[in-house]
Amino acid sequence: MPAIVVDHIHKSYGDVIALNDLSFTVEDGELFGLIGPDGAGKSTLFRILTTLLLADSGTAYVVGHHVVEAYKAIRKKVGYMPGRFSLYQDLSVEENLSFFATIFGTTIRENYDLVKDIYVQLEPFKTRPAGKLSGGMKQKLALCCALIHKPEVLFLDEPTTGVDAVSRVEFWDMLKKLKQKGIAILVSTPYMDEATRCDRIALIQKGKILSLDSPDEMVANFGKPLYAVKTPQIYQALMVLRNAGFTHSALPFGECIHLTTNLSLNASEIRDYMEQKGIAVEEVQPIDASVEDIFLNLSQTAESQRQ
Amino acid sequence: MINVFWAFVKKEWYHIIRDKRTLLILFGMPVAQVLLFGYAISTEFKGAEIDVLDYAQDESSVQLIHHLQSSGHFTLHNILTSEQEMEKGFKEGTTKLVAVIPRDFDKELFNGQPITLQLITDGSDPNNANTLVQYATTMLNDFQREQLSMRSTPFQIRVESRMLYNPQLVSAYTFIPGTIALILLIVCAMLTSLTIAKEKELGTMEILLVSPLPPLVIILGKVTPYAVLAFIDAVLILLLGYFVFKVPVLGSVALLLFCCLLYVLVGLSLGTLISTRSSSQQQAMMSSLMGLMMPSLILSGFIFPLSSMPGILQLIGQIIPATYFIEILKGIMLRGVGLQFVYLEILVLLGMVMVLLAFAWKNFNVRLQ
C-alpha cells in the first residue's frame, strides 16, 4: 500500500466546503506537493491525515492504517509540522528537541544521523529560547522535532511560509535528502515557484484538485501558446487583449502580461494588433509555462465553469 | 512511559519558573492575600473618634466619658453643645459615633434602671456602625455595674458571655482557612486550566495529540507540578497564619494536610474540566474567575455566613467545594476535632473528585474538534 492514500475525502464546515471529493496517493520516498492559495483546504487535509479531524465522507490511509480506526498506530509513525510555529517558545532549542524525542520514546543521540544536517545549523543557538529564533531557524527546529523519531511519513504544512529566500532553498534541499532516505513527504505551499522541487504536485483550489501530475509533465501538457507581453499600459492592454478574438486568457504577471491564445500566432502579429489599438508595446516574447501560469489558467477555467 | 511523564513534568516546570506572571500568582498572591486580609480587612478597630453631647454635665457623666475612652477603642473628638452640631462630625467624616447623655442620667444610673443613652452612628457603613454600637453598649453596661457595685446594691445578675475557640474574636481565625481554600482553588483550577488552554492556543496541543502520548499522561504531566506547588502554598499560608497572626492548628496536622491534598485534587479536576471546554486562555480565565473564584469567595461562608442567605444561594453554596473545605479547616485548626467530626465533608469532597474526573475524562478530545 502507498504511504498515503486519500480516497474521495469530503469535508465541510457548516456551509463552507473545505474539501470536495479529494483523491490521490503518495508513494514511499516521494515528495508530494499540495500547491494552492490560502483557504484552498490544505491545512484541513493535513489535519484529517494526521488524525486530528474527521472527514465527513471518504476514507484515507496513512502507512497502511485507517485514519479513524487506527489513529493511534498512525500517531506513532508520522511526523507533523503544523502551519503555525508550534513549539514551546520559552524552551530552548535543545530542550524542545529532547522533549519531543522523549515523548516519542527515543533520544536525540539515537536518531542523530537523521537530523544531523539540520541540527548542525541550530547547534550554535541551542541554548536560545525557540521564540527568539529567526523565521528560518524556527522552521528548521520544527522540522528537527518532527523528524527526531524517524517517522515513515512526514506532513509539512506550509513549512516555508514567512521564511527568507535563502532559507527556503536550504529547506527544500533538506527535504530532498530526507526523501532519499525513503520517507514519504506531503508538503503544502502557497509559493508556486517551489512546486518544481516536488516529484508530483496537486494544484488545489477551493477544496478541489485542479490538476495532478509531475511539474515537468504539467508544463509539457500546458497545450496553449504562451507569450509574455511587456507594456507600460498594463490595464489598457489587458482590456484590449481580453476583447481580442484570438485570446484565451490574459493575466497580469508582475510587470508583464501573460497571454495564452487559442491559435498559434507570431509574436509580431500580437504586437501589430496591440499597436493598432493604440497600446505602446515594449516586447512580446513566446515563453514556457510556469506552474503559476498553469494554476491561474486552470483556476480561471474552473471559475468560468462554475458560473 | 514513566520517562515520558518526567519529561513532561520537567517541561512544565520550565514553563512555570520562566514565567514571572505565574510565579507571582503562585507565591506573591498567597502572601499578599494573607497580609491584606490580616491587616486591612480586619473587623476589629482601635481609637474610633466619638463626639459626646452631654445634657447632664454632672460628675457621673464626666466619669462615663472617661470610662468610654479607657479601653482605647474610643477617643473623644468633640464635646457638643447642641443637637444641631451632631451631623457636622459625620459629614466631615471625623466622627464615627455620637453619644447623647440625658439630663437625668445620674438618677437613672443609681435607681438601677436601664440607662437610656442615645447612640447615633453613621449608617452608611452598617458593619462598622453595628460593631461600634456593640462595643459602646458593652462599655455602658460595665460602667453601670461598676458604679452600682461601689454603692453595694445587694442583688445583681451578671451575664458573662464567652466565645469558645476564638475568645477574642480575632478575624485571622476565619480568614486563614478561607484564604487557603481560595488560593488552592486559584493555583489548582485556574492555573491548570490556563496551562492546558495555552497549549491549545499556541498549537502545541496539535503536536502533542499527533504523538503516541496517551491523554492521561498529557493531563497528569501538566497537573502534577501544580499539585505540588499548591501544596507548598497551603503550607506557606498555614505558617504565615501561625507565625504572623498566631492562628493555631489544634487538631492533627496530618489530617489537615490530607484534606488539603483532597481539595487540591478537587481543584485540579475542576481545572482540567474547564480546560477541556475552552479553546483559549482568555476563555479559561473567564470561566475560572466567574465560575469558581466569585462563588467560592462569596457563597462559601468565607466572608458572609451561608445561613443568612436566601434559599437558592444556600443551595448553590452547598455545591461549592470551598464550603466543605473551609468547614473542615475550621474544625481541625480551631476546634481541634478529629476525623469523626469531618468525615462527612471529606466524603462529599471525594464524591466531587470522582464526578469531576469522570466528566473531564469524557470531555477530553483525542482530536481537535
Side-chain angles (χ1 to χ4, degrees):
Chain A
M1 198 181 236
I4 303 172
V5 178
V6 178
D7 189 16
H8 298 287
I9 287 286
H10 196 103
K11 172 84 185 172
S12 49
Y13 301 103
D15 291 339
V16 183
I17 297 171
L19 295 174
N20 190 356
D21 201 26
L22 231 59
S23 299
F24 64 88
T25 60
V26 180
E27 301 293 330
D28 286 323
E30 186 179 17
L31 179 53
F32 190 99
L34 284 174
I35 320 290
D38 291 343
K42 302 187 299 279
S43 296
T44 304
L45 181 64
F46 273 103
R47 286 179 172 164
I48 289 173
L49 292 177
T50 51
T51 74
L52 288 171
L53 280 183
L54 297 175
D56 295 340
S57 64
T59 51
Y61 294 87
V62 174
V63 285
H65 299 290
H66 192 273
V67 287
V68 181
E69 285 151 23
Y71 74 92
K72 283 184 183 161
I74 292 176
R75 289 178 180 189
K76 287 179 186 145
K77 292 183 178 170
V78 301
Y80 173 43
M81 197 175 140
R84 206 160 36 126
F85 179 67
S86 307
L87 297 177
Y88 297 103
Q89 317 246 3
D90 52 342
L91 260 53
S92 74
V93 168
E94 202 175 20
E95 285 161 353
N96 264 301
L97 192 58
S98 84
F99 173 70
F100 284 104
T102 314
I103 65 173
F104 278 96
T106 178
T107 56
I108 300 180
R109 200 178 304 156
E110 203 172 312
N111 290 324
Y112 187 70
D113 56 312
L114 198 62
V115 296
K116 193 178 72 190
D117 292 343
I118 314 166
Y119 194 65
V120 287
Q121 303 184 34
L122 288 164
E123 204 128 37
F125 312 106
K126 67 180 183 185
T127 53
R128 189 180 290 190
K132 295 215 163 78
L133 292 172
S134 69
M137 283 294 171
K138 275 183 183 168
Q139 295 307 77
K140 281 171 197 161
L141 176 59
L143 182 62
C144 264
C145 291
L147 271 176
I148 193 65
H149 61 290
K150 227 174 190 171
E152 292 174 36
V153 179
L154 202 51
F155 292 98
L156 310 173
D157 191 0
E158 299 203 359
T160 54
T161 299
V163 174
D164 67 273
V166 178
S167 297
R168 273 165 62 186
V169 172
E170 281 176 7
F171 200 88
W172 282 95
D173 289 340
M174 285 168 197
L175 296 189
K176 198 171 161 189
K177 281 190 191 154
L178 291 173
K179 184 190 89 167
Q180 284 156 0
K181 292 181 176 159
I183 300 173
I185 305 174
L186 181 66
V187 58
S188 73
T189 176
Y191 302 121
M192 306 283 167
D193 54 320
E194 290 179 340
T196 49
R197 308 288 310 253
C198 301
D199 295 327
R200 282 193 303 152
I201 52 173
L203 302 181
I204 73 168
Q205 191 185 37
K206 297 193 173 149
K208 262 190 115 55
I209 294 183
L210 301 173
S211 175
L212 193 162
D213 215 329
S214 73
D216 294 341
E217 285 293 310
M218 224 177 247
V219 168
N221 292 337
F222 186 58
K224 290 198 167 60
L226 178 69
Y227 308 89
V229 180
K230 210 170 175 190
T231 162
Q233 301 160 276
I234 290 196
Y235 180 72
Q236 291 89 335
L238 271 177
M239 291 297 114
V240 166
L241 286 172
R242 280 179 183 167
N243 288 323
F246 55 79
T247 300
H248 175 258
S249 72
L251 297 163
F253 228 90
E255 48 187 11
C256 300
I257 292 172
H258 281 197
L259 170 76
T260 56
T261 55
N262 291 320
L263 34 131
S264 203
L265 294 167
N266 270 335
S268 57
E269 287 175 278
I270 297 168
R271 189 185 191 114
D272 291 345
Y273 176 81
M274 289 177 71
E275 277 168 353
Q276 256 174 33
K277 298 277 181 187
I279 306 284
V281 181
E282 286 172 22
E283 194 178 21
V284 178
Q285 209 177 13
I287 52 165
D288 287 332
S290 68
V291 174
E292 194 161 0
D293 291 305
I294 299 166
F295 184 88
L296 288 172
N297 262 287
L298 286 171
S299 71
Q300 209 184 29
T301 321
E303 279 299 314
S304 58
Q305 273 169 2
R306 206 165 300 174
Q307 287 158 6
Chain B
M1 206 37 87
I2 195 78
N3 280 340
V4 177
F5 172 71
W6 282 117
F8 223 108
V9 171
K10 200 168 101 187
K11 178 207 77 140
E12 212 53 41
W13 180 250
Y14 287 144
H15 289 324
I16 295 170
I17 57 168
R18 285 175 195 176
D19 184 23
K20 292 207 175 63
R21 207 178 46 170
T22 311
L23 278 181
L24 198 67
I25 293 180
L26 272 174
F27 296 108
M29 200 153 79
V31 176
Q33 219 171 49
V34 168
L35 295 181
L36 269 179
F37 276 124
Y39 288 117
I41 315 175
S42 168
T43 50
E44 302 148 53
F45 65 90
K46 282 203 174 81
E49 306 231 330
I50 60 167
D51 286 349
V52 175
L53 177 54
D54 188 2
Y55 285 121
Q57 294 193 358
D58 54 21
E59 195 190 338
S60 305
S61 73
V62 172
Q63 275 176 3
L64 176 67
I65 295 169
H66 278 300
H67 181 81
L68 280 176
Q69 296 177 82
S70 64
S71 67
H73 288 303
F74 298 112
T75 43
L76 186 63
H77 178 244
N78 227 344
I79 300 271
L80 306 178
T81 48
S82 80
E83 276 175 44
Q84 276 76 34
E85 291 169 41
M86 284 200 298
E87 256 189 281
K88 191 166 162 270
F90 288 129
K91 284 193 171 154
E92 284 170 355
T94 49
T95 305
K96 304 280 182 235
L97 177 120
V98 178
V100 184
I101 304 171
R103 205 170 299 278
D104 41 8
F105 175 66
D106 200 40
K107 205 167 80 194
E108 277 179 8
L109 184 66
F110 294 114
N111 285 348
Q113 291 166 356
I115 320 167
T116 47
L117 194 117
Q118 195 180 19
L119 295 175
I120 300 167
T121 52
D122 179 3
S124 62
D125 184 359
N127 277 337
N128 211 5
N130 261 330
T131 323
L132 288 172
V133 170
Q134 268 174 29
Y135 267 87
T137 312
T138 318
M139 297 199 75
L140 288 174
N141 288 340
D142 278 356
F143 177 71
Q144 185 173 25
R145 203 162 48 235
E146 245 171 56
Q147 295 295 324
L148 286 175
S149 61
M150 280 193 278
R151 314 227 170 164
S152 68
T153 311
F155 303 111
Q156 280 180 46
I157 300 170
R158 293 183 60 177
V159 180
E160 246 184 54
S161 58
R162 278 184 63 198
M163 299 285 182
L164 281 181
Y165 311 122
N166 185 2
Q168 283 122 1
L169 293 179
V170 185
S171 53
Y173 283 25
T174 62
F175 79 74
I176 287 288
T179 311
I180 295 178
L182 211 60
I183 292 288
L184 289 192
L185 201 63
I186 288 172
V187 171
C188 296
M190 190 170 91
L191 289 185
T192 332
S193 69
L194 276 181
T195 170
I196 300 181
K198 189 176 172 189
E199 300 251 2
K200 288 188 185 180
E201 202 176 294
L202 295 181
T204 43
M205 192 54 114
E206 225 171 305
I207 301 192
L208 293 182
L209 286 175
V210 189
S211 78
L213 282 184
L216 191 65
V217 173
I218 299 183
I219 300 243
L220 279 182
K222 287 209 79 81
V223 304
T224 307
Y226 287 96
V228 173
L229 289 168
F231 209 72
I232 294 176
D233 267 346
V235 175
L236 180 71
I237 299 170
L238 283 175
L239 289 177
L240 268 180
Y242 187 78
F243 287 110
V244 181
F245 298 105
K246 310 274 181 292
V247 180
V249 179
L250 297 176
S252 145
V253 175
L255 182 62
L256 185 73
L257 292 182
F258 166 77
C259 292
C260 286
L261 193 68
L262 184 62
Y263 186 67
V264 163
L265 287 180
V266 177
L268 292 178
S269 32
L270 268 172
T272 316
L273 184 61
I274 289 176
S275 70
T276 59
R277 292 258 143 196
S278 32
S279 53
S280 69
Q281 293 188 76
Q282 199 185 8
Q283 212 181 341
M285 180 85 141
M286 287 315 279
S287 321
S288 25
L289 276 181
M290 302 311 284
L292 296 178
M293 298 318 147
M294 293 281 283
S296 298
L297 192 62
I298 296 168
L299 299 178
S300 65
F302 171 20
I303 294 184
F304 311 110
L306 258 184
S307 50
S308 60
M309 290 183 193
I312 179 82
L313 291 185
Q314 286 194 31
L315 269 181
I316 297 175
Q318 267 157 27
I319 57 166
I320 293 172
T323 311
Y324 299 96
F325 186 56
I326 292 177
E327 268 315 303
I328 295 176
L329 287 182
K330 281 184 181 166
I332 298 175
M333 289 171 69
L334 307 181
R335 295 198 295 275
V337 300
L339 187 61
Q340 67 269 34
F341 292 99
V342 288
Y343 77 94
L344 258 181
E345 282 86 357
I346 291 181
L347 283 182
V348 172
L349 288 182
L350 263 179
M352 285 180 171
V353 173
M354 307 279 184
V355 173
L356 290 169
L357 275 185
F359 269 115
W361 184 254
K362 203 167 151 273
N363 269 321
F364 189 85
N365 211 329
V366 293
R367 296 197 169 81
L368 283 181
Q369 277 179 334

